[in-house]
Amino acid sequence: MEKIKTQKLSNLCLKTAYLLINGGAETYRVEDTVERIGRSLGSRVVCYVTVTAIFIEVNNQNYKFTKSVLGGTNLQMIDEINTMSRSLADRTLTPEDFTRRINQLYRNKRTTDFRFPVKAIGAGFVSMAPMLLFQMPGYYFIYCFIVGVIGYSVSYYLSHLSMLPYADLFISSFVIAVLGILLKNMGLVTEYHDIIIGAIMPLVPGVAITNAIRELVMRQALSSMVRFLDALLVASSIGFGIASALIIF
Amino acid sequence: MDILINFILGSLSAIGFSIITNAPRRAAGIIGLTGGLSWTTFYILKNYSHMHLLIANFCGAVVISALAYYFSRKFHLPENIISIPCLVNLVPGGNAYRTMLYMVQGKYIASLNQGIQTFLIASFLAIGLFATPYMLTLIKQGISLRKRKIRS
């Protein structure tokens, strides 16, 4: 197999690691994938990733690092790069094709995505949390669906409008709690707590919690702690949003 | 009958979360199956055998990790694509909410109670999530050790 130049390879590895971290992969998987790519292209690559920085060293002669930001979830990206690196190792994909596709992904920073209405309906299904099944009558689930869709839409649009990290979750959970109290005041429901519990489920930091656990088990304590802190901050911003609504009304 | 309703709701909410996090489309069926089965396990253990809540959570997480381990190797998917949406069903959202609610109402003892329970459930979920890979590596290591011993 032809070798690609060290300079090019280090750029390629840096871009791959950046895309994987932004997609929400665990750090040990990122290191593993990048080192495997280097091996299948015939070079020795050493990669060290924390959640906020990526360090790459190729063949003892080329060192690079870049910054990355916390947050952002795109499981499609992880799957695509995983499939590509697998077929690169199987030699069904040439290095040129691989480089071209990584560059394309890096330029667009996005993959195929569900449209917003589909995502909102998905959020509605998450809001009908099965843990509430026998705590409340069946027609409450319809209110859960509606409130969950509204709460998720608010958070989606706010996170696209502003880059300020935790404010969108605070405001959307505030809106959810206000809607729950409003439903009770209109006399449609008697217990609004269950509806609020269901409707905040789409905002739960599931990716951060799961990755933090898996990284902690793999002895990646540093990035695991960063993710735990992020999950804690997200959870408490949701909590304070609800608390302020409960205090005001 | 109620088990069937539980299964359907569990799969729907797992698939819904996979849509939010933009999981690949070919994984949707797998995620639905895993989420439904893990939630049903938790529900049956909690309501029919009157087990402790923590053990029921632990078993649900074990089911998630076992199915994720199997399906990820069979369909060449990363493992956390399957386990992230399924874990959302088991997250103790109700307890976390009540922690906040009692804190606002000034019942600090009850709030602390719920907070500790939230923490315990979360840690048991964590233990369950890595129980399966650990057991499997133990078994694999044991088999390879025995083979080496036979050969020598």
Side-chain angles (χ1 to χ4, degrees):
Chain A
M1 188 185 293
E2 71 274 41
K3 272 192 175 182
I4 43 177
K5 288 218 178 73
T6 313
Q7 188 71 25
K8 261 187 181 173
L9 180 61
S10 65
N11 265 331
L12 178 68
C13 289
L14 209 61
K15 282 173 183 170
T16 314
Y18 180 83
L19 287 176
L20 278 173
I21 280 287
N22 263 16
E26 310 101 308
T27 49
Y28 65 91
R29 181 184 296 282
V30 177
E31 292 175 359
D32 204 43
T33 309
V34 168
E35 283 169 9
R36 190 154 2 103
I37 288 171
R39 219 175 301 131
S40 56
L41 293 179
S43 296
R44 194 180 138 277
V45 177
V46 179
C47 173
Y48 173 69
V49 175
T50 71
V51 186
T52 49
I54 301 160
F55 301 87
I56 294 218
E57 189 248 89
V58 179
N59 284 339
N60 286 333
Q61 36 180 291
N62 200 318
Y63 308 92
K64 277 194 177 152
F65 91 102
T66 188
K67 292 190 290 186
S68 66
V69 278
L70 199 61
T73 307
N74 190 347
L75 297 182
Q76 178 86 38
M77 183 89 81
I78 304 174
D79 183 48
E80 225 159 84
I81 293 177
N82 192 37
T83 318
M84 272 154 60
S85 75
R86 203 182 285 273
S87 53
L88 184 71
D90 293 344
R91 311 194 174 182
T92 48
L93 194 70
T94 59
E96 285 78 37
D97 273 348
F98 185 76
T99 317
R100 196 169 44 77
R101 282 172 70 177
I102 288 284
N103 280 335
Q104 202 177 359
L105 277 178
Y106 189 76
R107 220 177 306 122
N108 298 333
K109 295 260 187 338
R110 57 193 297 275
T111 53
T112 53
D113 206 342
F114 290 102
R115 283 198 308 280
F116 173 68
V118 183
K119 282 195 168 187
I121 290 171
F125 282 131
V126 179
S127 311
M128 305 199 300
M131 73 173 70
L132 306 169
L133 198 53
F134 294 101
Q135 294 177 15
M136 59 187 197
Y139 65 90
Y140 274 42
F141 276 96
I142 301 166
Y143 297 128
C144 268
F145 188 92
I146 297 166
V147 176
V149 167
I150 294 171
Y152 179 72
S153 316
V154 170
S155 118
Y156 185 86
Y157 277 117
L158 282 179
S159 68
H160 277 245
L161 284 180
S162 151
M163 279 293 132
L164 200 64
Y166 301 105
D168 55 331
L169 293 163
F170 181 86
I171 293 172
S172 52
S173 56
F174 184 82
V175 168
I176 285 170
V178 168
L179 281 176
I181 295 168
L182 205 66
L183 278 176
K184 191 209 167 201
N185 286 352
M186 281 157 65
L188 291 171
V189 296
T190 50
E191 271 298 319
Y192 61 92
H193 297 309
D194 291 334
I195 289 180
I196 296 177
I197 293 173
I200 57 173
M201 287 312 266
L203 309 177
V204 161
V207 181
I209 294 174
T210 317
N211 279 349
I213 293 169
R214 292 173 65 92
E215 279 166 7
L216 193 63
V217 171
M218 297 300 281
R219 287 271 172 89
Q220 297 271 351
L222 186 62
S223 44
S224 159
M225 281 306 122
V226 174
R227 284 204 208 267
F228 257 128
L229 194 62
D230 184 45
L232 204 65
L233 281 173
V234 168
S236 43
S237 62
I238 293 172
F240 289 127
I242 292 171
S244 46
L246 289 177
I247 290 170
I248 291 171
F249 300 103
Chain B
M1 189 58 211
D2 55 341
I3 291 175
L4 192 67
I5 295 175
N6 268 298
F7 183 80
I8 292 170
L9 268 183
S11 347
L12 272 184
S13 95
I15 291 176
F17 203 79
S18 84
I19 290 174
I20 293 178
T21 53
N22 190 17
R25 283 163 180 73
R26 69 198 167 100
I30 301 165
I31 289 168
L33 187 64
T34 314
L37 278 180
S38 61
W39 173 259
T40 318
T41 311
F42 169 74
Y43 177 76
I44 290 173
L45 285 180
K46 188 183 151 217
N47 281 39
Y48 289 96
S49 71
H50 299 289
M51 252 181 205
H52 199 277
L53 184 67
L54 296 176
I55 303 297
N57 269 304
F58 173 79
C59 291
V62 165
V63 170
I64 290 177
S65 66
L67 287 177
Y69 192 90
Y70 175 70
F71 283 133
S72 68
R73 270 148 193 77
K74 192 170 180 201
F75 294 100
H76 300 303
L77 285 164
E79 212 170 302
N80 63 347
I81 284 185
I82 302 172
S83 55
I84 285 169
C86 300
L87 204 67
V88 165
N89 285 338
L90 296 174
V91 163
N95 296 80
Y97 174 73
R98 258 170 237 120
T99 310
M100 211 65 215
L101 178 70
Y102 292 144
M103 209 181 280
V104 170
Q105 289 172 347
K107 302 177 193 164
Y108 294 118
I109 302 295
S111 157
L112 204 59
N113 229 333
Q114 293 285 342
I116 291 171
Q117 201 171 2
T118 312
F119 173 73
L120 274 178
I121 291 175
S123 26
F124 266 77
L125 284 180
I127 296 169
L129 205 61
F130 85 94
T132 312
Y134 183 69
M135 289 306 288
L136 281 171
T137 47
L138 274 190
I139 292 170
K140 270 182 193 165
Q141 286 296 322
I143 289 174
S144 68
L145 269 183
R146 178 175 286 180
K147 269 183 188 166
R148 215 174 294 151
K149 206 175 279 177
I150 288 170
R151 209 174 293 146
S152 61

